Amino acid sequence: MRGVSIIGVGITPFGVRAESLVALGAIACKDALEDAGLAPGRIEAFFLGNFAGHAFTGQNHVAPMVAHAAGLGAVPCTRLEGACASGGLALRQGVLAVASGQVDFALIAGVEKMTSAETDETASILAAAGDVAVEASVGSTFPALFGLIARRHMHEHGTTREEIAHVAVKNHAHGRLNPNAHMQKDVTLPQVLDARPVAEPLGLFDCSLISDGAAAVVLCPSETASAHHEKPVEVLASAQASDSPALSDKRDITSFYATQKAGEEAFSRAGLSREDVDLAEIHDCFTMAEIIALEDLGFFAKGEGGRGALEGMTKLGGAMPVNTSGGLKSKGHPVGATGVAQIHELTLQLRGEAGARQVPGAGVGLAHNLGGSGATCAVHILGATA
Amino acid sequence: METFVCAGCGRIYLENSQRCGHCGGDLEERPASGRGIVYSFSSVHMGARGMPTPYLLALVELEEGGRILARLADNDEGEPSIGDKVVFSGLSDTGPVFRLF
Ligand SMILES: [Zn+2]
C-alpha cells in the first residue's frame, strides 16, 4: 500500500440552500478540483457520502448525477451510506482506492439536502439511522437516544449539565469564525441551559443543525502530491469500525465501542499517540456526543471528557482545540457531507489557511465521524507537510 | 409478563414471532416477573411524527437481565430517577409500556 495525500478541498456554505442536492455536490467537487489544479477528466474514481437523498428529496442514485454535473465523465461512481458517517466512509474508500494503486486520482464528496423536509418528517428520516424495529417504533428519535445516553453518563460518571452545555458554547464560539458555518453566532451558557427541551436533559442548543451542504476532497499518491499542491496533507491513518445501533444491545451506553476500536486502530496505523494530535474535528451531533468521543478516543479518561470544554482545553487556544470549524453544532450537519467537511477543516488548518480560527503550528489533526447511535465510526488522522 | 429471548443475540421480545427479527435466531420462552428498573430515561418534547408530546422513554433493565426500550406511562410523581422500580403494564401501538411502582 502506498501513502495517500489530499491535494484539494472544496465546500459549499452550510445552511438553508436554494440549490438541489446534485448542484450542491457538484459545486463542492468543482471547488476541490480547482484547489487541486486538476481538470475533471483526470479523476479516475468518485465516492459520494449521502445518507438519505431519496427520503429528503425524492432522488436516489445520486453519485453518477453529481459526477455528471461536475463533469467527471464515465468514472466509476459509488455512493456510501453509513448514516452520519457516510462522508467518512466515502473518504476511506477513496483512500483505499489510491493506496492500493488502483487509481491515481480519486474525488470524494459528501452531500445532504435536508431543509426541504418538515421538522417531524426530518426526525423520522433521521430515526431510521437507528434500529427502527426496537427504537423508532417505540417513539424514539435521535435526540431521545442521546438524551438517554446523556442521562446515564451524568448518573454513572458525574458529568454535569453545565459541562455538556459548555460544548455548545465552545463550538458556537468557533463557528462564529467560520464563514461557511450555518450559525455564525455565539450562544451563552444560560441560553443553552434554558433552551426549549428537545429530549431531556438535552435542549435545542445541544442538538446539531439541520442543514444543506456539501464538501469534497481530492486524493492522490503522496509521492506525487507536491506536484499538484504546494501544501499537500497526508492521510496518516484511515480506520473504521462497527457496532449494533440499538442502545438495548450495548453493554455500556456511555461509550461507543466502534469509536474505541476505530480510534485504537487509527493511532496504531499512524504510529502516533494522543499527545501528538494538535486539533480534532469530533462528531458532535449532540453536545454529549463530543464528550463521549473524547473519552472513547483516549484524549480523556472515562468520565473526564466534560472537562474539555468546561476548562477550555478543547477551545481555540487550548491544548487541543476540538471542532474549530464550529462542529456539527454550529457549522451545521448536512448528514452525508459532515465526514468530508471535517477533512476540509483539518486540511485548511494543516495548511495554515484557517484564518481567524487557525491553530498555530497545527501539524496533526484527527477526524472522528460517527454514524447514528454509534453503529459506524470512521477515524482519520491527517498530517501537514513537514 | 412473557418474554422470548433470542438464543443467538440475546434480544428480548414480548411477542413470540418464532424467529429473531434481528439475527434470525431461535426464540426461547422465558418467564419474567415484568419488573425492572429504569436504566435511563428521557422526557421527549419534540417527538416522532404523529406522537403527542411530551412522553417519557426509558431504557428498562429487566429483573431477569437484558434491557428494552419502552414508554413509561404517565404518572403523578413527575420525573422518574435512574434505578426506580418499574413494572410492565402492557403492549401499546408503540410497543411496551412500563409504569413506576
Ligand atoms: Zn437474535
Side-chain angles (χ1 to χ4, degrees):
Chain A
M1 299 286 259
R2 54 186 180 173
V4 177
S5 289
I6 295 164
I7 53 168
V9 290
I11 199 161
T12 69
F14 283 8
V16 180
R17 298 290 306 248
E19 297 93 334
S20 70
L21 181 158
V22 171
L24 287 168
I27 292 167
C29 287
K30 288 175 185 168
D31 196 18
L33 287 166
E34 200 175 293
D35 185 36
L38 277 190
R42 299 288 298 279
I43 296 299
E44 297 155 84
F46 178 58
F47 298 94
L48 179 70
N50 175 250
F51 164 56
H54 181 259
F56 282 125
T57 71
Q59 182 67 58
N60 259 339
H61 204 180
V62 289
M65 293 179 73
V66 172
H68 180 260
L72 300 187
V75 295
C77 296
T78 309
R79 169 180 165 182
L80 283 296
E81 190 272 305
C84 317
S86 300
L89 302 197
L91 178 74
R92 181 169 155 76
Q93 290 309 308
V95 169
L96 294 176
V98 175
S100 70
Q102 183 75 28
V103 303
D104 283 334
F105 295 103
L107 178 64
I108 292 87
V111 64
E112 209 75 50
K113 171 85 183 172
M114 304 172 76
T115 65
S116 31
E118 299 294 331
T119 305
D120 62 345
E121 193 184 343
T122 300
S124 295
I125 294 169
L126 293 173
D131 190 323
V132 172
V134 292
E135 292 182 333
S137 66
V138 184
S140 185
T141 59
F142 258 90
L145 295 179
F146 277 86
L148 293 162
I149 288 166
R151 178 92 65 193
R152 186 73 200 179
H153 201 283
M154 293 165 80
H155 173 81
E156 258 181 60
H157 305 296
T159 300
T160 66
R161 181 67 187 93
E162 285 69 26
E163 285 176 321
I164 298 170
H166 270 286
V167 173
V169 175
K170 169 184 72 74
N171 289 351
H172 274 278
H174 292 169
R176 192 169 55 78
L177 306 174
N178 181 356
N180 290 316
H182 186 163
M183 253 182 97
Q184 295 168 39
K185 66 172 197 183
D186 282 317
V187 299
T188 64
L189 188 66
Q191 274 179 304
V192 181
L193 294 174
D194 300 336
R196 188 152 62 102
V198 173
E200 293 181 49
L202 304 177
L204 202 56
F205 284 115
D206 292 286
C207 305
S208 53
L209 305 173
I210 291 163
S211 319
D212 305 327
V217 168
V218 183
L219 302 176
C220 83
S222 295
E223 66 230 25
T224 55
S226 57
H228 300 283
H229 199 284
E230 59 173 356
K231 291 176 195 163
V233 167
E234 184 152 28
V235 180
L236 302 176
S238 174
Q240 182 186 333
S242 316
D243 189 14
S244 168
L247 296 196
S248 51
D249 287 343
K250 298 180 199 288
R251 223 173 329 141
D252 175 10
I253 66 166
T254 68
S255 333
F256 291 119
Y257 185 63
T259 298
Q260 294 172 340
K261 296 304 285 181
E264 279 164 23
E265 187 188 329
F267 279 107
S268 147
R269 283 184 182 275
L272 294 173
S273 67
R274 276 65 179 173
E275 296 73 41
D276 296 321
V277 177
D278 298 310
L279 79 160
E281 287 286 301
I282 298 287
H283 196 91
D284 58 328
C285 47
F286 299 92
T287 44
M288 188 69 229
E290 178 173 313
I291 292 173
I292 291 176
L294 288 172
E295 295 169 350
D296 288 343
L297 292 166
F299 292 115
F300 288 88
K302 192 73 218 162
E304 302 280 305
R307 291 174 53 209
L310 180 76
E311 297 174 16
M313 286 174 267
T314 54
K315 211 178 162 189
L316 268 171
M320 188 191 73
V322 169
N323 287 326
T324 56
S325 65
L328 287 54
K329 181 70 266 293
S330 162
K331 181 188 58 196
H333 184 26
V335 173
T338 284
V340 183
Q342 292 177 326
I343 301 302
H344 178 274
E345 174 69 9
L346 292 180
T347 300
L348 292 190
Q349 290 281 359
L350 296 170
R351 287 179 185 170
E353 297 170 358
R357 60 186 195 283
Q358 180 65 46
V359 175
V364 173
L366 179 144
H368 162 263
N369 191 198
L370 188 74
S373 41
T376 299
C377 183
V379 174
H380 288 87
I381 300 177
L382 309 183
T385 311
Chain B
M1 180 191 184
E2 271 190 310
T3 61
F4 303 88
V5 181
C6 174
C9 71
R11 275 205 179 176
I12 299 164
Y13 294 85
L14 303 182
E15 287 170 297
N16 188 3
S17 51
Q18 307 299 325
R19 288 210 168 272
C20 173
H22 185 56
C23 77
D26 290 327
L27 298 188
E28 290 167 357
E29 191 170 350
R30 188 177 75 181
S33 63
R35 287 191 293 268
I37 57 151
V38 174
Y39 187 77
S40 192
F41 68 96
S42 176
S43 179
V44 182
H45 295 261
M46 294 172 73
R49 199 162 205 191
M51 291 180 79
T53 54
Y55 52 88
L56 271 173
L57 274 184
L59 194 56
V60 171
E61 187 160 88
L62 297 177
E63 202 169 64
E64 295 80 11
R67 297 180 199 136
I68 52 177
L69 190 65
R71 297 279 291 275
L72 269 190
D74 290 334
N75 67 89
D76 299 331
E77 286 101 279
E79 192 156 272
S81 298
I82 287 177
D84 279 359
K85 290 177 178 167
V86 290
V87 65
F88 180 65
S89 73
L91 270 174
S92 74
D93 292 349
T94 54
V97 181
F98 284 74
R99 59 180 168 80
L100 295 170
F101 88 105

